[in-house]
Amino acid sequence: DGGITQSPKYLFRKEGQNVTLSCEQNLNHDAMYWYRQDPGQGLRLIYYSQIVNDFQKGDIAEGYSVSREKKESFPLTVTSAQKNPTAFYLCATATGFPNEKLFFGSGTQLSVL
Amino acid sequence: AQKVTQAQTEISVVEKEDVTLDCVYETRDTTYYLFWYKQPPSGELVFLIRRNSFDEQNEISGRYSWNFQKSTSSFNFTITASQVVDSAVYFCALIIVGREIIFGKGTRLHILP
């Protein structure tokens, strides 16, 4: 089936540890996005990528890093510099020009031990 | 600057009542898309509707209807004869062609039995 797969569904991070959230898609979409959602809050853009080997910072990129080596994959690393990482993370893709529809993964809940 | 405002943080209505969720957007671009998404407790965002900036025709889909008015930069969403299963967080989003996607902060809708 075509879609977006986020893993793991739940993730725990220890102090000072980097963790990586996976996002894989087989929809052949160029654009991919990472959003953070805090309880009772809206979606805030962390990073986005419109094409392989290129990505741009969103509104809250500090403490996060991404890579886009393959069209299908857009992993997000939450680094130790992110002091408040507990949140629900959503990955999304968009159809090609003109980015007319967003598809979302099922999300990863990250918590700090 | 682009912006999406969902002024209603939380709404509670009794089942079978009609309810309207407001969305006001700001952009100077003439070509853009507006979306509504539903986020049930499971967390995954579900696509409801897309409307482009050149199509102001209102749309009805079952109990759902959308009113797009460029004159007031609004894209409101009405649920008629609400049901408990409509309880969720609803997001309005603005997409500028070829650029990032801006979400409102969401409206949490409670349908009381």
Side-chain angles (χ1 to χ4, degrees):
Chain A
D1 289 349
I4 304 169
T5 302
Q6 283 189 246
S7 62
K9 191 167 180 65
Y10 299 97
L11 185 60
F12 297 91
R13 194 191 89 166
K14 294 180 182 178
E15 288 280 339
Q17 186 183 42
N18 293 355
V19 292
T20 297
L21 284 61
S22 169
C23 178
E24 303 282 331
Q25 57 112 348
N26 60 7
L27 299 169
N28 200 34
H29 291 167
D30 287 312
M32 297 187 74
Y33 304 81
W34 273 106
Y35 288 91
R36 168 177 171 145
Q37 185 178 24
D38 293 278
Q41 301 295 314
L43 301 176
R44 292 186 290 169
L45 181 65
I46 306 172
Y47 269 98
Y48 65 104
S49 168
Q50 299 281 11
I51 198 170
V52 174
N53 291 324
D54 188 46
F55 47 82
Q56 286 79 40
K57 293 181 179 180
D59 300 321
I60 55 165
E62 186 173 350
Y64 300 97
S65 65
V66 293
S67 63
R68 187 82 188 279
E69 297 176 1
K70 299 185 301 182
K71 189 174 187 177
E72 301 79 21
S73 179
F74 191 40
L76 173 73
T77 297
V78 184
T79 74
S80 56
Q82 172 49 247
K83 298 306 179 187
N84 184 23
T86 297
F88 187 60
Y89 291 85
L90 281 161
C91 176
T93 72
T95 53
F97 179 84
N99 287 357
E100 59 188 12
K101 187 171 178 180
L102 274 180
F103 297 81
F104 284 87
S106 56
T108 294
Q109 176 63 50
L110 174 63
S111 303
V112 176
L113 291 176
Chain B
Q2 282 69 233
K3 186 177 179 182
V4 174
T5 302
Q6 293 180 255
Q8 305 148 307
T9 304
E10 203 158 345
I11 301 174
S12 294
V13 300
V14 176
E15 196 172 20
K16 298 183 183 176
E17 288 185 356
D18 299 347
V19 57
T20 296
L21 309 182
D22 298 332
C23 174
V24 175
Y25 63 94
E26 296 176 27
T27 181
R28 293 187 176 186
D29 289 70
T30 56
T31 303
Y32 53 87
Y33 290 84
L34 292 162
F35 291 74
W36 275 96
Y37 282 86
K38 174 182 180 180
Q39 186 179 39
S42 62
E44 186 168 350
L45 270 73
V46 176
F47 169 81
L48 295 177
I49 191 172
R50 176 192 71 215
R51 179 60 83 229
N52 72 54
S53 53
F54 300 108
D55 180 7
E56 284 193 75
Q57 188 173 18
N58 292 329
E59 182 162 337
I60 298 174
S61 176
R63 296 184 296 105
Y64 296 170
S65 62
W66 291 269
N67 183 293
F68 177 29
Q69 293 194 342
K70 289 179 73 171
S71 60
T72 56
S73 295
S74 64
F75 187 42
N76 297 338
F77 172 33
T78 298
I79 301 175
T80 304
S82 60
Q83 300 176 1
V84 173
V85 294
D86 296 326
S87 297
V89 180
Y90 291 85
F91 290 98
C92 181
L94 167 69
I95 296 181
I96 308 302
V97 174
R99 286 162 38 200
E100 65 180 273
I101 300 152
I102 304 103
F103 280 86
K105 294 191 174 183
T107 297
R108 183 173 296 276
L109 178 62
H110 300 278
I111 308 298
L112 307 172

